[in-house]
Amino acid sequence: MSMTLASGSTSLLSGKPLRLVAAGILLINGMFPALWILFTSLKTESELTAKPITWIPHAPTVQNYVQAFSDQPLHIFLFNSFMVALLSTALTLLVSVLAAYALARLNLTYRGLILSLIIAVSTFPLVTLLVPLFEIMRALNLLNSWTALILPYTVLSLPVCTLMLVSFFEGIPRDLENAAMIDGCTRMGALFKVVVPLCAPGVFTAGILAFVNAWDEFLLALSFNSNPSLRTLPVGIQLYQGEFAFPWPVISAALVVGIVPVAILIVIFQERVVSGLTAGGIKG
């Protein structure tokens, strides 16, 4: 009898109820901060500081969103962040595709050492690279420009993206490239016409990582750009706080405005990743 109860409890803990509980915990952990920011952005200052705390705003208002655009040039911050993230992502994908293809296909003598160095470089804390990167950008006269952010963001995203694409490229049969080259393609043509399309899930995933890293980065954007017209969104949001005031509803509204475009892009990319995985499974 005891053995039956034990086996029943084990199956209960390892079955569907446990998975549902775990999924619920992950959902709450991921959605609660976003919902809290959204609800805060719809509250007035008086309601936010009232006690007891109100979880859902009693009288939702969009005045905080209007004030977010009027107090600071939020549209300029969004444009700068989008362009810097987009250009750095494009450059990251171009370089990482070439580097990953070389590591996956060429018979490099020190391939293992190169991969180890890539992994080691990806573990460096960003704060330890701040001063050297600042000196390089100042020596190249690139401070207060998009380039001062695009180049470091590309370098910082390259290790992870390259390692991810290496594993995808190694899963593509060499016979497909050889057939393309027999038909007249060069090696670079076979890479971009055969290998990259087949590795669309990995390419889109690497692009998502590079874009989000560039969109969210604060330290380099604060240090390398002092020109108000070149500030990115993370730097611009911290300008809403005053010396003696911290307008949480307005700041929350600015955060929501910054989160929504990235969320839309990620949803679009995720759909393409799923379709790429399905197409690859059918072709394989």
Side-chain angles (χ1 to χ4, degrees), residues 82 200-201 203-205 207-208 211-212 259-277:
F82 181 77
V203 174
F204 282 116
T205 304
I208 290 173
F211 188 91
V212 173
I259 291 172
V260 168
V262 179
I264 294 174
L265 287 175
I266 290 177
V267 168
I268 294 173
F269 278 124
Q270 284 180 335
E271 290 178 354
R272 295 189 178 184
V273 167
V274 171
S275 64
L277 283 170

Side-chain angles (χ1 to χ4, degrees), residues 103 110-124 159 163:
L103 291 170
Y110 300 103
R111 180 178 182 275
L113 177 61
I114 294 173
L115 291 173
S116 300
L117 290 176
I118 292 175
I119 296 174
V121 169
S122 64
T123 62
F124 288 174
L163 291 174

Side-chain angles (χ1 to χ4, degrees), residues 6 33 73 108 127 148 277:
L108 301 177
V127 67
L277 283 170

Side-chain angles (χ1 to χ4, degrees), residues 137-248:
M137 294 301 156
R138 184 171 64 175
L140 296 175
N141 197 25
L142 293 177
L143 295 178
N144 289 319
S145 67
W146 285 352
T147 309
L149 299 179
I150 293 172
L151 294 180
Y153 291 169
T154 300
V155 173
L156 293 173
S157 298
L158 274 176
V160 174
C161 294
T162 301
L163 291 174
M164 180 182 300
L165 291 176
V166 166
S167 62
F168 275 89
F169 287 168
E170 288 178 340
I172 301 298
R174 294 175 182 263
D175 294 342
L176 297 176
E177 300 165 60
N178 295 334
M181 287 187 284
I182 291 174
D183 290 339
C185 275
T186 62
R187 181 174 286 274
M188 293 297 292
L191 169 62
F192 287 103
K193 293 181 180 180
V194 177
V195 179
V196 171
L198 291 176
C199 293
V203 174
F204 282 116
T205 304
I208 290 173
L209 293 176
F211 188 91
V212 173
N213 288 337
W215 183 271
D216 293 338
E217 202 283 322
F218 174 80
L219 184 60
L220 297 184
L222 177 66
S223 304
F224 293 174
N225 279 342
S226 59
N227 189 338
S229 63
L230 295 174
R231 289 192 177 108
T232 56
L233 185 64
V235 178
I237 287 178
Q238 59 94 25
L239 297 176
Y240 285 96
Q241 65 180 9
E243 185 177 357
F244 302 105
F246 208 98
W248 278 113

Side-chain angles (χ1 to χ4, degrees), residues 25 28 200 213:
I25 293 174
I28 294 173
N213 288 337

Side-chain angles (χ1 to χ4, degrees), residues 28 32 53 56 67 69 84 94 104-105 155-156 160 166 177 181 251 281:
I28 294 173
F32 179 76
I53 296 175
I56 299 176
Q67 190 174 345
F69 281 93
V84 168
L94 176 61
R105 286 293 188 262
V155 173
L156 293 173
V160 174
V166 166
E177 300 165 60
M181 287 187 284
I251 293 175

